[in-house]
Amino acid sequence: MYEAQMVANDAAYYYLSRSGRVTDWPMWWVFDNGDTPLTAADIADHFGPRAELLEPLRRRIQEVPGGLGHPFWVIDDSPIDTHIITHDAAQWDWVQCQDEIGRILARPLDARVSAWQLHVFPNVTGIATTSGVGTVVLMHISHALMAGPAMTSLSEALFASVPLRIEGQGPATQRPRPALAAVAGALRWPLQALRFNVRVRREMRRIARENDDGGPKVPPVAATRLNRRIGPGRAMRTIPLELSVVRVPGITVTAVGLTAISRAMQRYLEKREGSCPDDLAVLVTVAVPDAPVMGVNYVGADAVALAATEPDLAARARAIDSTLRVRKHSPSARRELNRLALIDLLPSRTYRTRFGTLAPADPDTPAYAHTILTSIRCEPTTEWSLSGKPFRCAGMLPPVYPEIGLAHSFVGAGDSFTVSVACDPDIVPDLDDYCDILRESCQEVTAALGDPR
């Protein structure tokens, strides 16, 4: 039974969502219908037979009374069609579809009822990567259940009939016995607190003895309109690019894309606020495999300076690339993994109080980044399709942090590459203008780095 309780790292995302933050994880795929849109029957016929392949999704959350234990994953026996919503009442254009996705994401899932929903828009026009009408499939899922590294496996399960595998996922139970877990949690509390404090002191002695300064470095940065407390609203846009545009010898795709983001944010802030801070920075997420204490969310993050004071874009790209190469290993450093293991020892009630309560907005609270980036590279093992319609591109977004109003993601899948942007529309009310600046910045960076290969 207790094996079905979440580790603290996964439970945190559930606690955060209950505090009023929006932490659900969205991803979407685009398929080319040609001149023939899919029907609701086509969609049902496609996903219905895949229920067994999606077995790792068939779970929901049950809490432990009083927060005296982390929540359980319990088996969800509901039919797969109760999780699929087909928006087939009218034709959508691509902007309207993205606006609707933003409205969906502004309504958090209650993972105690349903930990995921699949939204299908079968009749969407104006998508640059399609020859005619397109279908957009949106997965809206609890971040406690799945994170970015599972995107390839989920795509294969939905569109290539390969069983879904979620690394780091524990079992679900049919009989969680939450009252018994609460009693056990209350009895363990004093011992847990004692063990936590003993191990913290032991780790502090080790850090001092070994002079271990590893792990993420997230210094405070200048405050702007982009890094302040956000509300529940969401707006998003996806920009498809040719993969060749961001492939430059000697520089990672992530660094090339971040250079474009750096230039775009710089121009945007100069236009809206009159200046851009010299310490423009991004939180970059990094997968940390083989870390059981992290559960399914085996993703860390570190701050990367965006070299805003470097006017030469080629030199800026090289500086960002150099920093990325240094910082990409920091989330898997011994000190950071030990810290996560210590957190997992905390009594659940303490942990729930820490993450399940959203403190009032404080303008004097230090900011640690101006945006966040997550990037995923998918290598399909077989062709992805939806009812025979070919795949064109995919996108996803990280959860927007409570103090970061603008988020970016890169998704490469086969020969496709997309940049997606999400924001609080009250903080970035002119998202389309920002995306226009971002497209221009991509062109500027490409030109500065020479002809892409």
Side-chain angles (χ1 to χ4, degrees), residues 326-358:
V326 171
R327 303 312 307 162
K328 70 178 182 179
H329 300 296
S330 61
S332 58
R334 180 181 179 185
R335 179 170 174 168
E336 177 65 6
L337 294 182
N338 286 354
R339 184 186 70 83
L340 290 169
L342 285 169
I343 287 175
D344 203 46
L345 295 176
L346 278 172
S348 55
R349 182 63 179 269
T350 303
Y351 201 57
R352 184 186 183 100
T353 300
R354 165 68 178 83
F355 287 93
T357 304
L358 183 60

Side-chain angles (χ1 to χ4, degrees), residues 10 68 87 199 208 294 312 363 370 393 422 452:
D10 289 341
L68 293 170
H87 302 260
R199 294 198 181 181
M294 300 184 77
D312 183 281
H370 300 93
C393 64

Side-chain angles (χ1 to χ4, degrees), residues 59-395:
R59 52 179 61 198
R60 57 183 176 80
I61 286 174
Q62 183 161 344
E63 294 187 10
V64 173
L68 293 170
H70 291 314
F72 284 92
W73 281 120
V74 299
I75 295 171
D76 180 3
D77 291 325
S78 59
I80 188 173
D81 58 10
T82 63
H83 295 269
I84 300 174
I85 301 171
T86 302
H87 302 260
D88 61 349
Q91 186 176 80
W92 306 72
D93 67 33
W94 184 216
V95 172
Q96 290 172 327
C97 181
Q98 293 176 97
D99 288 343
E100 181 61 20
I101 290 174
R103 284 188 285 270
I104 290 169
L105 300 181
R107 301 189 293 269
L109 293 167
D110 185 348
R112 298 169 301 180
V113 178
S114 176
W116 63 281
Q117 288 182 336
L118 203 65
H119 294 263
V120 184
F121 302 85
N123 193 8
V124 183
T125 62
I127 304 175
T129 56
T130 63
S131 61
V133 177
T135 292
V136 178
V137 179
L138 166 70
M139 171 60 84
H140 185 202
I141 191 165
S142 168
H143 219 305
L145 177 54
M146 186 181 290
M151 183 175 183
T152 298
S153 183
L154 180 61
S155 302
E156 302 275 270
L158 290 172
F159 308 115
S161 297
V162 177
L164 172 61
R165 178 179 174 80
I166 302 177
E167 297 291 342
Q169 186 183 65
T173 182
Q174 192 77 52
R175 301 180 61 191
R177 299 182 181 178
L180 181 60
V183 172
L187 294 175
R188 285 199 310 267
W189 193 331
L191 179 59
Q192 282 183 292
L194 176 62
R195 186 172 56 172
F196 173 77
N197 287 316
V198 168
R199 294 198 181 181
V200 166
R201 287 194 292 269
R202 183 185 303 168
E203 173 66 4
M204 295 299 290
R205 288 195 299 269
R206 185 199 67 80
I207 290 171
R209 183 175 63 253
E210 300 177 6
N211 194 26
D212 183 355
D213 64 348
K217 303 291 191 298
V218 190
V221 296
T224 69
R225 65 185 292 148
L226 298 178
N227 46 10
R228 65 174 193 248
R229 176 60 60 84
I230 67 174
R234 290 292 176 272
M236 57 78 61
R237 290 290 185 266
T238 292
I239 304 170
L241 296 173
E242 293 290 334
L243 186 58
S244 60
V245 169
V246 289
R247 275 185 171 163
V248 176
I251 299 178
T252 63
V253 169
T254 302
V256 173
L258 276 177
T259 305
I261 289 172
S262 169
R263 180 60 179 141
M265 292 178 65
Q266 184 178 33
R267 291 175 58 195
Y268 181 80
L269 289 170
E270 288 172 348
K271 182 178 180 180
R272 296 292 179 262
E273 296 189 340
S275 64
C276 172
D278 292 345
D279 61 357
L280 199 66
V282 55
L283 278 177
V284 178
T285 63
V286 181
V288 185
D290 303 319
V293 73
M294 300 184 77
V296 302
N297 284 280
Y298 53 98
V299 179
D302 201 357
V304 172
L306 288 176
T309 58
E310 174 54 70
D312 183 281
L313 291 181
R316 186 183 299 196
R318 289 191 292 271
I320 293 172
D321 184 67
S322 177
T323 305
L324 269 176
R325 292 178 190 273
V326 171
R327 303 312 307 162
K328 70 178 182 179
H329 300 296
S330 61
S332 58
R334 180 181 179 185
R335 179 170 174 168
E336 177 65 6
L337 294 182
N338 286 354
R339 184 186 70 83
L340 290 169
L342 285 169
I343 287 175
D344 203 46
L345 295 176
L346 278 172
S348 55
R349 182 63 179 269
T350 303
Y351 201 57
R352 184 186 183 100
T353 300
R354 165 68 178 83
F355 287 93
T357 304
L358 183 60
D362 182 356
D364 297 323
T365 299
Y368 296 100
H370 300 93
T371 187
I372 179 172
L373 170 77
T374 188
S375 59
I376 296 293
R377 176 65 188 164
C378 301
E379 296 290 355
T381 60
T382 187
E383 185 175 348
W384 298 351
S385 64
L386 174 65
S387 290
K389 307 300 184 183
F391 167 78
R392 289 293 178 254
C393 64

